[in-house]
Amino acid sequence: MHEFKPGQRWICDVDLQLGLGTVRTVEHRIVTINFGAAGETRSYAKQSAPLTRVVFKAGDVVSSHAGVTLKVTRINERDGLIVYAGVSESGNSLELAEEQLAHHLQLNRPAERLFTGQFDQDKWFRIRYQTLLNRNRLAKAPLYGLTGTRTSLIPHQLYIAHEVARRYAPRVLLADEVGLGKTIEAGLILH
């Protein structure tokens, strides 16, 4: 579970288009975050919130609501909130509290997400990896077309498909009763 404090900046992992959010209220089980770029306020369960804290590192360039750009040289923490110290475009030393950061930050590109530490937990990678392995295995299977259907095949449908597939130049008329799966039979035959 995360430690939320009002004023902290978080990004929603499942909806990156919202931009940078600011924690407004923290209750016993609920955290409310305002996404200024999208004009939305959302509430999440603290224990399972799909949120990642945005923390910039030395060398990153950040901008404020007022349009001031700062190259981060040092990071300080005060009462659970981050204060970025650095040099502005004009060369002046400046401090920028995290609640002053611009809302329009979006970490859509993979490199941006990686370098700012915005990546999923290892368990989600393993699930996606296993899914890709299974999908690849199914794509190479001889019954690929049959595994993706959302139907329960009836034995006579498999029999008809088998009989027609054995013929050299099949020409058949499918004339089963209504509801016995002529469309499914045709799909099996074409496959």
Side-chain angles (χ1 to χ4, degrees):
M1 189 162 65
H2 307 294
E3 184 64 35
F4 294 101
K5 294 204 179 224
Q8 290 178 339
R9 305 309 296 269
W10 294 74
I11 195 162
C12 181
D13 299 330
V14 295
D15 197 356
L16 295 173
Q17 303 302 324
L18 292 172
L20 198 56
T22 305
V23 175
R24 287 295 168 222
T25 60
V26 181
E27 296 169 10
H28 179 64
R29 292 184 180 175
I30 303 292
V31 60
T32 303
I33 298 187
N34 179 27
F35 294 97
E40 290 189 32
T41 300
R42 294 192 181 179
S43 296
Y44 300 94
K46 284 171 56 175
Q47 194 168 23
S48 61
L51 301 167
T52 303
R53 177 98 187 263
V54 175
V55 179
F56 293 99
K57 296 171 181 53
D60 290 339
V61 177
V62 296
S63 59
S64 71
H65 298 297
V68 176
T69 303
L70 175 77
K71 183 171 184 177
V72 178
T73 57
R74 199 173 68 252
I75 301 167
N76 301 316
E77 187 172 334
R78 294 183 196 141
D79 299 324
L81 300 178
I82 295 173
V83 178
Y84 298 101
V87 181
S88 67
E89 292 174 322
S90 59
N92 299 328
S93 293
L94 187 64
E95 283 192 347
L96 189 63
E98 73 178 296
E99 62 260 16
Q100 295 174 315
L101 293 176
H103 298 302
H104 297 284
L105 170 74
Q106 289 182 354
L107 303 172
N108 292 334
R109 292 185 295 236
E112 288 176 341
R113 295 191 70 199
L114 179 65
F115 293 136
T116 56
Q118 310 298 320
F119 44 83
D120 294 336
Q121 297 172 7
D122 186 49
K123 67 178 181 178
W124 299 118
F125 168 77
R126 283 187 267 124
I127 289 172
R128 285 191 294 267
Y129 179 68
Q130 288 300 319
T131 301
L132 288 174
L133 288 178
N134 286 332
R135 203 164 98 189
N136 186 38
R137 183 181 54 80
L138 289 173
K140 293 179 180 177
L143 296 175
Y144 173 68
L146 301 178
T147 59
T149 62
R150 293 183 178 188
T151 61
S152 298
L153 298 175
I154 303 172
H156 83 275
Q157 295 168 334
L158 291 170
Y159 173 78
I160 294 294
H162 176 70
E163 287 298 314
V164 173
R166 287 186 6 190
R167 298 182 184 180
Y168 172 69
R171 284 182 68 112
V172 294
L173 173 67
L174 299 175
D176 287 339
E177 302 248 347
V178 174
L180 289 180
K182 294 179 288 297
T183 305
I184 293 170
E185 290 173 358
L188 289 171
I189 291 166
L190 288 172
H191 179 73

